[in-house]
Amino acid sequence: MTKKAPTIKDVARKSGTSTATVSYVFSEKDRYIRPELRERVLQAAEELGYVKNAVASSLKGNPRGILAVIIPQFSNNFFTDICAEIESVAQKAGFVVIICNTDDSVEQEEKIVKRLVSQKIDGCIICPALSTSKNIKTLDIHNIPYVVLERDLEGETPDFDFVGHDNFQSGYLATKTLLDAGHRNIAFLGWTTPIANLRDRLSGYKAALDEAGIAVNDDWILLDNLSEDAGKRMAARLPVDKVTAMVLAHHYYMAKGTLLGLQKRALRYPEDLSIVLIGTPEWRDLVHPSLTCIKRPEKEMGRAAASVLLKKVKKPLYREKRHVFPVEFMTGLSVRDMPG
Amino acid sequence: MTKKAPTIKDVARKSGTSTATVSYVFSEKDRYIRPELRERVLQAAEELGYVKNAVASSLKGNPRGILAVIIPQFSNNFFTDICAEIESVAQKAGFVVIICNTDDSVEQEEKIVKRLVSQKIDGCIICPALSTSKNIKTLDIHNIPYVVLERDLEGETPDFDFVGHDNFQSGYLATKTLLDAGHRNIAFLGWTTPIANLRDRLSGYKAALDEAGIAVNDDWILLDNLSEDAGKRMAARLPVDKVTAMVLAHHYYMAKGTLLGLQKRALRYPEDLSIVLIGTPEWRDLVHPSLTCIKRPEKEMGRAAASVLLKKVKKPLYREKRHVFPVEFMTGLSVRDMPG
């Protein structure tokens, strides 16, 4: 019952020409074919449902028109917004984008990278699981052009193209917003991770406090895992008799958990506690009051990552400068001015 | 500067054996190789960063370990939740999942399907753009095992495996919830689409009204596009002097827009208007009051789609029954009992 897929021979027969001519029509090379013959071949191919075998074709070094994006979380708007932008740029250049999710597991990432390498994709944008460079090396060895997204790699790897945003600035700006409103006792909620991004946000928080002459209180820095439950746990632990404000420096599931945890303790924002959130979840203006946020440059990042990759696909030795985009303040109603 | 990727010859040389032995170690076939030799080969491959060339390998008909999921919207939790479940099942079976987004464009879908066919993926789960079967036929012709997800195809295509959920029931249950609370003037907000799902939800709405002996008022059925702005427009048009309740039968962006539009008119729910939402956006319990929802079976759908596809990959002629999963009522605070 399994039918045989149409081959180049079937197309040649149906359009009354040679397989060589069909092959020319489907190759990307500039070879003159009479317009009406080209049309006839394309028509026959369409009717038969012929699809060129990229597998065989790529053995001859032809591009396949496929770029991969490897991200650590599929359920995080931050990454899907970046992906949407990458797709839009790549599509205009004639590429199809495939997305793979590592769930921040280095083992899963290894499997994905090896499969993609063996598929001979044209290029790859990768946000390394747990910020490790192991699988990046596989891309390097196999000469797959790639751009590292969002998570910087330290030391080990050869010099690479990077597109990210300023995590230090986001921590700094969130904290400064609260300081400017007169808060002095400010908590920082994040997650435990080997990834530099959170550490950079925390450094920004500390730098802002330091500038204001305020000592860092380690008891007010709460770290847990990335889940909604973790957010609830941190809200439960929050010393609200001491702090008047907090920076939510983390994933949206956690942020949601934190807000639900505050509700459970019957704590209102901004009355009982002021909040600045790093990131802009879909619900930031649906919750009441709306959240004051630090907006990350998802669009700019996606656009830059795709453009750099496309240049590298064309010219493997192409090197770009590092792109680290600034964040932006986004006004909301979750910060209250302290009397004083 | 471009290095040469390690080949099977390099692995053979490094492990002091023949290329045939290396080939046996990396083939899925059951061929006895001494454990210590196998170990040596794997070790050498690891050190060199050798990755088997699936492109060449697949020309011989070997599986590639890649399943694709083609969805129409990347920024819709409904689909990403299904994808997460597909990934989890596929990973256990040793497959890597790649996700492609058609943006509900048949042209984009055609490009994606042709690229994937030419890549010789092992199988595919597809939610057809605009419910058209054109590109499904390409999968058929090329004997790529596939499962149709969520959007049923009518008539044209040969008999296919389908995993979906009961859209009629979701429209019916949402409306019945409002009727049971004593509402009689109930609006229905959806979007303009050729897709049967929305039509089925609307049929469920009409059937519930009909059962209660209430005539359908076409002025209370509002349809627009899928954007947040469309939601705002419909909220602005809603005849709140006449209706006391509404079924939000649509995409989360629209639902968000509708809620923001109500806020703009200073309409409160459930006081001024009761709401039942079809679907469970991340923010359903963050908004205040929380939304009464109809929960769709994302996990069950993802699990079933992946299992059916895996069976078909193993046995191309395998046929499963259709899976249409029921929806569930999810309690919230957005429906008020009418005095009566």
Side-chain angles (χ1 to χ4, degrees):
Chain A
M1 216 190 95
T2 302
K3 304 146 307 253
K4 210 173 151 319
T7 65
I8 195 166
K9 281 186 196 158
D10 300 320
V11 179
R13 195 171 308 125
K14 194 173 173 80
S15 55
T17 183
S18 66
T19 53
T21 302
V22 176
S23 166
Y24 290 140
V25 169
F26 279 93
S27 83
E28 320 283 300
K29 285 165 204 139
D30 252 349
R31 177 112 185 185
Y32 180 75
I33 312 268
R34 274 179 297 124
E36 66 276 19
L37 179 55
R38 181 185 295 275
E39 195 41 53
R40 210 161 72 220
V41 169
L42 290 174
Q43 180 68 31
E46 179 74 26
E47 283 167 21
L48 289 168
Y50 168 75
V51 172
K52 183 173 140 179
N53 186 342
V55 172
S57 171
S58 85
L59 287 177
K60 303 180 200 151
N62 294 326
R64 334 194 97 208
I66 296 189
L67 304 179
V69 184
I70 303 176
I71 54 175
Q73 293 142 17
F74 199 53
S75 54
N76 185 341
N77 280 7
F78 172 64
F79 287 113
T80 51
D81 287 352
I82 292 175
C83 286
E85 202 61 31
I86 292 172
E87 274 182 338
S88 135
V89 174
Q91 273 172 29
K92 276 181 206 125
F95 286 84
V96 157
V97 173
I98 61 181
I99 318 259
C100 298
N101 172 22
T102 64
D103 257 329
D104 242 332
S105 143
V106 178
E107 290 70 41
Q108 183 56 19
E109 187 184 69
E110 180 175 354
K111 222 172 190 173
I112 290 170
V113 166
K114 286 193 170 167
R115 292 289 155 87
L116 294 179
V117 163
S118 79
Q119 290 290 99
K120 308 278 177 210
I121 51 163
D122 296 310
C124 172
I125 293 169
I126 181 166
C127 178
L130 301 177
S131 273
T132 55
S133 61
K134 178 175 180 213
N135 302 311
I136 304 273
K137 284 185 183 141
T138 304
L139 294 171
D140 246 330
I141 292 175
H142 291 271
N143 300 312
I144 307 279
Y146 64 90
V147 173
V148 175
L149 180 74
E150 174 59 11
R151 295 181 181 170
D152 214 344
L153 298 170
E154 282 147 7
E156 325 176 49
T157 337
D159 152 56
F160 54 87
D161 291 287
F162 178 76
V163 171
H165 77 281
D166 193 336
N167 282 286
F168 176 90
Q169 190 207 4
S170 70
Y172 179 88
L173 198 55
T175 312
K176 189 80 170 59
T177 301
L178 293 165
L179 288 166
D180 288 349
H183 295 272
R184 293 186 59 83
N185 299 337
I186 303 170
F188 179 96
L189 275 62
W191 74 104
T192 313
T193 171
I195 298 165
N197 301 13
L198 196 272
R199 202 176 58 219
D200 291 347
R201 289 178 211 171
L202 190 54
S203 302
Y205 160 84
K206 289 178 178 175
L209 291 181
D210 192 51
E211 245 181 55
I214 298 172
V216 171
N217 184 333
D218 285 333
D219 292 343
W220 300 350
I221 298 173
L222 306 187
L223 306 176
D224 204 318
N225 67 38
L226 270 184
S227 67
E228 188 176 314
D229 279 345
K232 287 182 185 167
R233 279 194 296 271
M234 290 193 294
R237 281 165 55 205
L238 204 66
V240 280
D241 50 332
K242 300 192 185 102
V243 302
T244 64
M246 63 176 169
V247 173
L248 292 186
H250 53 47
H251 194 279
Y252 303 155
Y253 283 144
M254 275 183 86
K256 179 184 168 185
T258 305
L259 295 189
L260 291 174
L262 292 182
Q263 272 177 35
K264 205 176 162 198
R265 291 179 73 180
L267 293 168
R268 289 158 312 153
Y269 68 87
E271 296 84 348
D272 301 316
L273 200 70
S274 290
I275 301 176
V276 178
L277 173 66
I278 296 179
T280 48
E282 195 188 333
W283 41 264
R284 64 164 287 279
D285 48 351
L286 263 184
V287 292
H288 197 75
S290 66
L291 289 175
T292 303
C293 291
I294 305 299
K295 163 109 187 73
R296 294 179 291 181
E298 292 93 347
K299 276 189 191 266
E300 291 81 354
M301 288 174 67
R303 214 172 300 144
S307 322
V308 174
L309 183 61
L310 286 170
K311 286 183 201 155
K312 292 175 72 79
V313 167
K314 260 198 167 162
K315 233 178 106 180
L317 298 184
Y318 179 82
R319 274 297 156 92
E320 183 103 352
K321 69 172 169 51
R322 292 165 60 84
H323 289 273
V324 177
F325 291 98
V327 297
E328 249 175 72
F329 177 76
M330 196 175 226
T331 190
L333 299 169
S334 60
V335 176
R336 132 181 127 97
D337 282 333
M338 289 296 275
Chain B
M1 217 191 93
T2 304
K3 302 147 305 249
K4 214 177 150 315
T7 66
I8 195 167
K9 280 188 197 157
D10 299 320
V11 179
R13 195 171 309 125
K14 195 174 172 81
S15 55
T17 182
S18 66
T19 54
T21 302
V22 175
S23 168
Y24 289 140
V25 170
F26 280 93
S27 84
E28 321 281 302
K29 285 164 204 140
D30 253 347
R31 174 113 188 186
Y32 181 76
I33 311 269
R34 276 180 295 126
E36 65 276 19
L37 179 55
R38 182 185 294 276
E39 194 42 50
R40 211 162 71 218
V41 169
L42 291 174
Q43 179 68 29
E46 179 73 27
E47 283 167 21
L48 289 167
Y50 169 74
V51 172
K52 184 172 136 179
N53 186 344
V55 172
S57 171
S58 85
L59 286 177
K60 303 179 201 152
N62 295 324
R64 333 194 97 210
I66 297 188
L67 303 178
V69 184
I70 303 176
I71 54 175
Q73 294 142 14
F74 198 54
S75 54
N76 185 341
N77 280 6
F78 173 64
F79 287 113
T80 50
D81 286 352
I82 293 176
C83 287
E85 202 61 30
I86 292 172
E87 274 182 339
S88 136
V89 175
Q91 273 172 29
K92 276 180 206 127
F95 285 84
V96 157
V97 172
I98 61 182
I99 318 260
C100 298
N101 172 23
T102 64
D103 257 329
D104 241 333
S105 145
V106 178
E107 290 70 41
Q108 182 57 19
E109 186 184 67
E110 179 176 356
K111 223 173 191 171
I112 290 171
V113 166
K114 287 194 169 166
R115 292 288 154 88
L116 294 179
V117 162
S118 80
Q119 290 289 102
K120 307 278 178 212
I121 51 163
D122 297 310
C124 172
I125 294 169
I126 180 166
C127 178
L130 301 178
S131 273
T132 56
S133 61
K134 179 176 180 210
N135 302 310
I136 304 273
K137 284 185 181 140
T138 305
L139 294 172
D140 246 331
I141 292 175
H142 290 272
N143 299 313
I144 307 279
Y146 65 91
V147 173
V148 175
L149 179 75
E150 173 60 10
R151 295 180 180 171
D152 214 344
L153 298 171
E154 282 147 8
E156 323 176 47
T157 338
D159 152 57
F160 54 85
D161 292 286
F162 178 75
V163 171
H165 78 280
D166 193 337
N167 283 286
F168 176 90
Q169 190 207 3
S170 72
Y172 179 86
L173 197 55
T175 313
K176 190 81 170 62
T177 301
L178 293 164
L179 289 166
D180 288 349
H183 295 273
R184 294 185 60 83
N185 300 338
I186 303 171
F188 179 97
L189 275 63
W191 74 104
T192 314
T193 172
I195 297 165
N197 301 12
L198 197 269
R199 203 177 58 220
D200 292 345
R201 289 178 211 170
L202 190 54
S203 302
Y205 160 82
K206 289 178 178 174
L209 290 181
D210 193 49
E211 244 181 55
I214 299 171
V216 172
N217 184 333
D218 285 334
D219 292 344
W220 300 349
I221 298 173
L222 307 187
L223 307 175
D224 204 318
N225 67 39
L226 269 184
S227 67
E228 186 176 315
D229 279 344
K232 287 182 185 169
R233 279 194 296 271
M234 292 194 294
R237 281 166 55 207
L238 204 67
V240 281
D241 49 331
K242 301 194 184 99
V243 303
T244 64
M246 63 176 169
V247 173
L248 292 185
H250 54 43
H251 194 279
Y252 304 155
Y253 283 143
M254 275 182 87
K256 179 184 169 183
T258 306
L259 295 189
L260 291 175
L262 292 182
Q263 272 177 34
K264 204 175 163 199
R265 290 178 74 182
L267 293 169
R268 289 158 313 152
Y269 68 87
E271 295 84 348
D272 302 316
L273 201 70
S274 290
I275 302 176
V276 178
L277 173 66
I278 296 180
T280 47
E282 194 189 331
W283 40 264
R284 64 163 287 278
D285 50 350
L286 263 184
V287 292
H288 197 74
S290 66
L291 289 174
T292 303
C293 291
I294 306 298
K295 162 109 187 75
R296 295 179 291 182
E298 292 94 345
K299 276 188 191 267
E300 292 81 353
M301 289 174 66
R303 216 172 297 143
S307 321
V308 174
L309 183 60
L310 287 170
K311 286 183 201 155
K312 292 175 73 77
V313 167
K314 261 200 166 158
K315 230 177 108 181
L317 298 184
Y318 178 82
R319 273 297 156 92
E320 184 102 355
K321 66 175 172 49
R322 291 166 60 82
H323 289 273
V324 178
F325 292 98
V327 297
E328 249 175 72
F329 177 76
M330 197 173 225
T331 190
L333 299 169
S334 61
V335 177
R336 134 180 126 98
D337 282 333
M338 289 297 275

